[in-house]
Each structure stands twice: as structure tokens, then as C-alpha cells.
Amino acid sequence: MFSTSSYRALLGLTLGAGLLFTAQATQAQVRREYLLTTDWRFTKGDQPDAANPKFNDARWQRVQVPHDWAIYGPFDGNNDLQTVQIEQNQEKQATQKSGRTGGLPFIGTGWYRRKLEVPGFGAGQRAVLVFDGAMSDAHVFMNGKEVATWAYGYNSFSVDITEAIQPGKDNILAVRLQNLPEQSRWYPGAGLYRNVHLIVTPEVHIPVWGTYLTTPDVTADYARVKLTTEIAVPDGRVVGREGAKISVRGSRDEHIGRGALRNALFLRLDTELQDASGRVVASSSTPLESGLPTCEQAFTVVQPRLWSPETPTLYTAVSRLYVKEAEADTTYRLADEYRTPFGIRSFKFEAGKGFSLNGQPRKFKGVCNHHDLGPLGTAINVAALRRQITLLKDMGCDAIRTSHNMPAPELVQLCDEMGIMLMLESFDEWKTPKVKNGYNRLFDEWAEKDLVNLVRHYRNNPSVIMWSIGNEVPDQSMPGGGKLLKRLQDVVHREDPTRPVTMGMDRIDDAIKNNFAAVLDIAGFNYKPHRYPEAQAKLPQGVLLGSETASTVSSRGVYKFPVEKAKQKKYPDNQSSSYDLEACVWSQTPDEEFVQQDDLPYVAGEFVWTGFDYLGEPTPYDEVWPSHSSYFGILDLAGLPKDRFYLYRAKWNTAAPTLHLLPHWTWPGREGQTTPVYAYTNYPSAELFVNGVSQGRQTKATSAQPQTRYRLMWNDVKYQPGSIKVVAYDAAGKAVAEEEVRTAGQPHHIRLAADRISLTADGQDLAYVTARVEDAQGNLCPDATNELQMEVKGAGRFRAVANGDATSLELFHQPHMHAFHGQLVATVQTTDKDGPLTLKVSGKGLKPATVQLQSAAVAAK
């Protein structure tokens, strides 16, 4: 068995990006990749003859891929009603859940079709389609012939379509997808929601995910790099080395003599390791051995720049495959070129010590994230992902768990580039179901196939630190559950022996008692901070992980009185309080996890549930409609920070000051009533003033109440209109920062703030523009619900809008929405034309606002 100790000896491996790369413009144009974004036709509902090339799809909708057809709604509490007992919520009987999957109409069949042009395709070439994800149960047809199926909607898969292509004719690609009721516990999306690629290569080539790069030794002075490259050659051709015996692929005869040299292919692999500037730092030229399907190369990089969240330095292995047809030939021709981005870093999990990266101890300051992008649905978009990561990094976050599914390639690439460590997760179910039509139906046939694709796809990415093989699977408690765990873990170890395997376990008693948790490389526990010492004493690994923590619930801008810690608290308006003291019956406030993370060195860090609100799973209101999205997020569905953002920022972002005051100070009718005031800050103490009168100075202190270690609280403040101001003091007692919140007047005008001003004219880039309803003095009107209208002119278009209100049934794709507690976020998208684009936001009785952005084409390389 792959023990933790043997694993530690290999942990210094550094792995590069297995993402498909853009077509490289080599002299021979040996490898070409096309992103199949445009010219798709789509229809909902089954079409029995839609795979037929002669089928008339003229009346189908024109769409671009990535495409989520269900996000356009409408919302309806009757969509995917589920009568289930949620054991995690400690429910004793099944009840009807409305909105569990977001109330969106994702159930049913969808068809996609398009013409597939393959320029210059002919003899001696191969064509492969790569689907980054298709929701779900994909059936792929080329010219009426089914060429591939893939059941799991979250996984990437590829299919060789060479034999199905008709050169010189119109080729028709068709994809049938189907979502079932009770397929998911959250909104899964629908359609070709991730990218589709066409890759054209010579017959001799490096296949999809055909490289595996590791760094067995990493020091400040040098790094050893090992690259294993798989080579694909035509069936029946001889692969050999000059002057040596050669073997025939597919032949029963292991060796043949020189009489077969007329069929020989002689191959050489030249690889350069390049730094971020393109400078070659190491190289190797290797003739292929006869009969071997892979080529191994070794390199030394002197004084490497190490990858970390603070310094996400990347290198690239550029591999060029050369071929000649006969031994007597004097020159090789270039057959293929393949690029493997990678980073150099080492890490360890050590008993009693926790986690370290590049020799420096640290804890994961992580969040769990679902795959939807709020108002965009599940349709992947790089600009949307980049915005999410930018906000998370500002909070101090350095890690993401892809909950509870396999990620989009774009997310992994951005984490490589921007510096986020990843726990890549595979499944939410094994054999025992949580929902009727979940992964349990697929497990026996597909689990190994899905894991192999996941690991081979991403085992070169430096951001990937751990593989997670499951989340809260009921098999923890079932006979044979440990055997299933070992089976899955062994598959991962076989494909990548350099990273640990973990999973999120919620049934701690069963997991420890039946040795389930003991089998894992790293034991991950969900919502069990007070039992970490017990688990540490009973388990052999000596290190564990908060794989899912907190699940505090809140609604941005909503404050409930009296202020008190509560579990599963519900209110008539279907909202939760932003005093950050309300959690689910099975979870905790952030502070309770903070205490254990700070006090227990063997705990390797935490992954908070969740970074962003997501569609579906509206706990604690999953039995009450309307509620279509979660309340767990540190940021809301629009990407606006909740108060909790600043609690985590004060704890996690040690490089920047944080001082945040809550609640707002506009409470007509609460005059003279107790209205507690909190400050979230990384300064040790602060003094509060109400209308200039001091309410005393508070200092963080270790005590039995976790909140006093991480919050400054004035619990007896009486509300009077005017202002509250907090003055923060450093460790020496010097006043160093202040924050003031004023009572707002009547809504007067709209203020706009864009996250980006300069955009790319590629038809995909996005800008997120926050609209605030303010009074005449510029104070946010915290209870404003004005309906705002969006209008875009110029080189762009309106894309979506969201206000972060889980109870709103307004459609995201319509250019109007009511503000939620004074704010909403409009998203504009570029076209393929250069020029300015203008967003105007207006509302009845409000002075409108306009923001101008600039869209320009990417400079030619």
C-alpha cells in the first residue's frame, strides 16, 4: 500500500499544466487547435433524427459555446422537487425540497449541431475532439455515426474522429445531452457549458494529456526535472532506433529483422525548458528506443524560481517530435510540437507539523467553490473566473477545493498563473445514493475512467496539491466502504504517485471506528473542529485537514435582532443575518474553526464552505420557496462581499490592513434600541464612537468565547441617527486607521464602479459594474430596492445582472433588476469589434450614471 511515509519521500515533485495549448505556429504547422465556439445550433427536447447529417436544423437557436441553456429560467419552485431526507441536516424523515437545484429548468434533453470544417485535412493526419465538460450523458456523433459517449457531465474527455471525417465534404458534428430529475443536490447546469476543441496532428504525434512532468529534487540551487512523453504512431508501422532491432506495433512477433526497415519510423524528441521570458534554461535531445511507447528525459534547472501563491512562477517544456522514414535519411522532419506549462515547487505533509510549501510551514486558507458563475450559470468564462480569484486573493485566500466535482481547465490554468493551491475533487457520491439519479448509477462502470481522465488532465499543474476522491459519501458507514476507498485511491496513486489523496468525511465516528479514515493519505473532516484532537490521537497519519468548515449563513446587508448565536435560524423573509453568528445545525461560525487552526499545528488548514454563493442548496430555506441560491458564501451570488469577507480578510490577509464596521447605521424606528456594532480588523484594538461619543475601547483577547479572539464587539450600543466611527490602534497603542458609517438619507443617485476599464475585443471578455443607490451626500442607501435599468451601447452588449438576493425570481439575462440592499452588479460583454462601450444605469426618481469602457483586440504575437 502507498503509505504516508513513502508518499512524503516523493512530495517534492513539481508538475506542469496539462491544459490543451493553443495551436503553435511552427513552420510546418504540425499541430493545429481550433476552439469550437461559434456556429452552433441548439434545441431543447429530443430530436430522434438529429444525428443525421441531412437533418434540417434551420429553426434551431443559434448559440455560442460554452452555453448553459437552463440559466435563462424561468425560476419555479416546482422544478425538480425532491422529497428526500438530508442526513447531513440531521433530518429524521423525508420532506419536500423546493429550490434544492435552484428552481431552474435544467431537466431534459438538448441537442447541439454544427458544421465541422477541418482545413487541409487529409491522409497522414489525425483529428481529435476534446470536450472540457458536457452536462450530461454526452453522445457525440460525426456524420451520423456515434463516435463517443461520456456519462459524467463534469469530466473532460477526448475522441479520435479521424475515421468519421469525410475530407472535402460538409462534416456534421452533433451532440445529444440529457439531464435527469433528482440528478444533483445543487444546480448542475445544462448543455455544452465548457469548451470544445478540435486538434489536428500528423499521425505521429503526442496525444492528448501525453506528457507527465515531475521534479524529484528541488532546492534553492537546482531542480531535477523528469519528463515522460507518450508517442502515438500509426498502427503497423515500425518504431525503432538506428542500428538496432525494431518492433512492429500490433505484431505478434516481438522483434523483426532489418528486412522490415522499409516500414520503419525513426523518432527523436527534442525538449527545451523555457522560463517565463522564453529563455531556455535546459534542453535534451533523445532518440526513441525501439518498441517503447514513451520517451523519458531528464533536466537540471539551475537556481529555479519556485512556484507559490505569492510567486506563481511558471516554466514551459516545449517538446518537438522529429521523424524520418528511413535509417539512411540524413535529416529528420518536424512531426509535432507540444507545450507543457509547469512550475517548480516542493511540499510536505508531516506528522505533528502539518503542511509546508517550499520548506515553509503554512496552513491552507482555502474555500470550497461550486462551478456555477452566478448569473452566468455554469457556462465557463475566463474573465468571470479571474474576477473570482482576484477577490479571493484580496481576502487572503490561497486555496480552492473544487466542490464537489471536476474543474474547468480554465480554472486550473488561472490558479497556476495567479497563485492558488487546489484540491481537485471528483465525486459527491459513490455507490450509495444521496439523490436518486446521482453518480451512484455510474460508479461501477465509470469511476476508474473518470479518475484516470481527471488525474492525467491535471497532474502537471503546480497549483494542484491534493486529489479528493469524494465528499460525505454514505459509504463511510457501509460494509465494504473501505474497499471502495482503497480502490479509488490506488487508481490515483497509479496515475500520480506524487500527491496525496484526501476526501471530505462527515461521519467521523464511523470513519474512525471502521478504519475508513486511516486508509487515506490525508484525513479530511467536514465540520469537526472540536474533534480534531480525538482524530489526531486515533489515526496513524499524524496530520489532518479541515476539508469543509464553517457553513455560516448570511445575506448581504441583512441584520436581525436580537443578535445571538443560532443554529438553523429562519425568518419570514427567507434571509439570514450578517452578524455572522448563524450557522447550520451541523456547522459552526468561522471563529470556532479559527481557534483550532491557530492552536493545533498538525491541522493543515481549512476550506470554508463557501467562497461564493451558488445556485441551489438554499439551506436553511430548502423547504421554503422562493429561495434559489445558497447563503453560505463569503461573497454573494453577484460577487459582492458580505461582512464575513472582512472577518476572513482580517485573519488571512496579513499583508494589508483591514478595518470594517457593521452594521449599517440607517434604522428608522429603532431609535434607543440595542443595536450591536462589530469591527472586523487585523489591528489588535479599536475604539467606537457614536455621534462622537466614545463607547469604549475593545481589545482582542483569548477566552472561552472564540469570537473575542477575532472580533471587536460593542454589544450594548443604542441606535441614534448620525454616525458610528471606529478608530483602530496598533500594538503600541497608536491610532492608525478609522472607518465611519453614516445614516443615509433618501435615494438620490446611482454610482457605478467597474472592476476593469480595458477589455479584450474577443467576444468573451467581461466587465463587472457595481451599481450603488446613494443619497445626496454619497452614502449607500442600505434598504434601497429601486428597480434599475441597464443599457449598453458601442462595442459591447449587456450580458447579465445579479443582486445577491436568494429570494429574487428576476431573470439574470434581462437588463433590469431591483437593487438588493442598495446594490447590484451588471455584467457587460465585449464583441469582436474594437472601440468604446458605454453602460448606462437608470432608475425612477434617481439621477442616472454612466461608465465608459474600452475594448481592443489582442496585439498580434
Side-chain angles (χ1 to χ4, degrees), residues 162-212:
T162 303
E163 304 306 322
I165 291 178
Q166 300 174 359
K169 298 182 180 180
D170 286 340
N171 292 279
I172 300 297
L173 169 63
V175 183
R176 181 186 186 272
L177 302 169
Q178 184 180 30
N179 284 341
L180 299 176
E182 298 189 53
Q183 175 176 305
S184 178
R185 298 191 295 120
W186 55 84
Y187 176 66
L192 290 177
Y193 71 110
R194 292 179 181 169
N195 276 305
V196 182
H197 310 253
L198 171 66
I199 301 174
V200 181
T201 66
E203 288 191 304
V204 179
H205 64 279
I206 299 168
V208 172
W209 312 326
T211 60
Y212 182 31

Side-chain angles (χ1 to χ4, degrees), residues 46 106-110 135-138 151 176-180 183:
D46 208 357
F106 72 91
I107 296 167
T109 301
M135 190 63 68
S136 57
D137 188 24
R176 181 186 186 272
L177 302 169
Q178 184 180 30
N179 284 341
L180 299 176
Q183 175 176 305

Side-chain angles (χ1 to χ4, degrees), residues 2-297:
F2 184 84
S3 69
T4 303
S5 58
S6 63
Y7 148 76
R8 291 193 194 108
L10 296 169
L11 277 181
L13 300 181
T14 305
L15 308 171
L19 290 169
L20 296 170
F21 47 87
T22 306
Q24 300 303 308
T26 56
Q27 290 182 347
Q29 282 289 304
V30 293
R31 172 178 288 259
R32 292 168 287 153
E33 179 174 346
Y34 306 91
L35 201 58
L36 305 183
T37 301
T38 59
D39 301 324
W40 289 91
R41 294 277 190 169
F42 166 76
T43 190
K44 286 190 283 187
D46 208 357
Q47 302 284 336
D49 201 34
N52 189 328
K54 296 181 180 180
F55 181 86
N56 185 354
D57 59 16
R59 294 186 177 181
W60 289 16
Q61 179 186 0
R62 286 187 177 273
V63 299
Q64 287 196 351
V65 169
H67 176 244
D68 176 1
W69 58 259
I71 192 60
Y72 301 100
F75 293 104
D76 191 322
N78 294 310
N79 283 330
D80 200 28
L81 281 174
Q82 297 186 16
T83 301
V84 293
Q85 176 189 350
I86 303 177
E87 295 184 8
Q88 291 93 334
N89 292 5
Q90 301 180 16
E91 294 180 355
K92 303 303 181 184
Q93 61 184 14
T95 59
Q96 191 175 78
K97 307 296 192 295
S98 60
R100 195 181 192 202
T101 50
L104 288 163
F106 72 91
I107 296 167
T109 301
W111 277 93
Y112 293 82
R113 283 169 53 97
R114 61 160 289 160
K115 290 182 180 180
L116 187 66
E117 298 180 4
V118 189
F121 185 80
Q125 293 184 319
R126 309 297 300 183
V128 173
L129 289 173
V130 179
F131 292 81
D132 290 341
M135 190 63 68
S136 57
D137 188 24
H139 290 253
V140 182
F141 302 86
M142 273 297 301
N143 296 322
K145 176 184 177 182
E146 186 172 63
V147 293
T149 62
W150 203 273
Y152 195 30
Y154 288 112
N155 212 343
S156 301
F157 64 96
S158 64
V159 53
D160 190 315
I161 59 171
T162 303
E163 304 306 322
I165 291 178
Q166 300 174 359
K169 298 182 180 180
D170 286 340
N171 292 279
I172 300 297
L173 169 63
V175 183
R176 181 186 186 272
L177 302 169
Q178 184 180 30
N179 284 341
L180 299 176
E182 298 189 53
Q183 175 176 305
S184 178
R185 298 191 295 120
W186 55 84
Y187 176 66
L192 290 177
Y193 71 110
R194 292 179 181 169
N195 276 305
V196 182
H197 310 253
L198 171 66
I199 301 174
V200 181
T201 66
E203 288 191 304
V204 179
H205 64 279
I206 299 168
V208 172
W209 312 326
T211 60
Y212 182 31
L213 190 146
T214 61
T215 56
D217 299 294
V218 176
T219 71
D221 297 323
Y222 70 91
R224 305 289 186 197
V225 178
K226 178 182 177 182
L227 178 65
T228 301
T229 304
E230 183 181 352
I231 310 297
V233 297
D235 288 337
R237 293 304 302 267
V238 173
V239 180
R241 188 175 180 180
E242 294 179 277
K245 290 184 177 181
I246 50 182
S247 63
V248 179
R249 183 178 177 185
S251 173
R252 291 183 178 181
D253 299 324
E254 183 177 357
H255 296 285
I256 61 173
R258 290 187 174 274
L261 288 179
R262 62 183 179 275
N263 294 322
L265 290 174
F266 297 90
L267 306 177
R268 189 185 79 231
L269 187 67
D270 291 358
T271 299
E272 296 177 342
L273 303 189
Q274 300 177 359
D275 65 13
S277 68
R279 181 176 65 93
V280 177
V281 297
S283 62
S284 176
S285 180
T286 309
L288 265 67
E289 296 285 349
S290 61
L292 295 180
T294 59
C295 177
E296 293 190 356
Q297 296 176 303

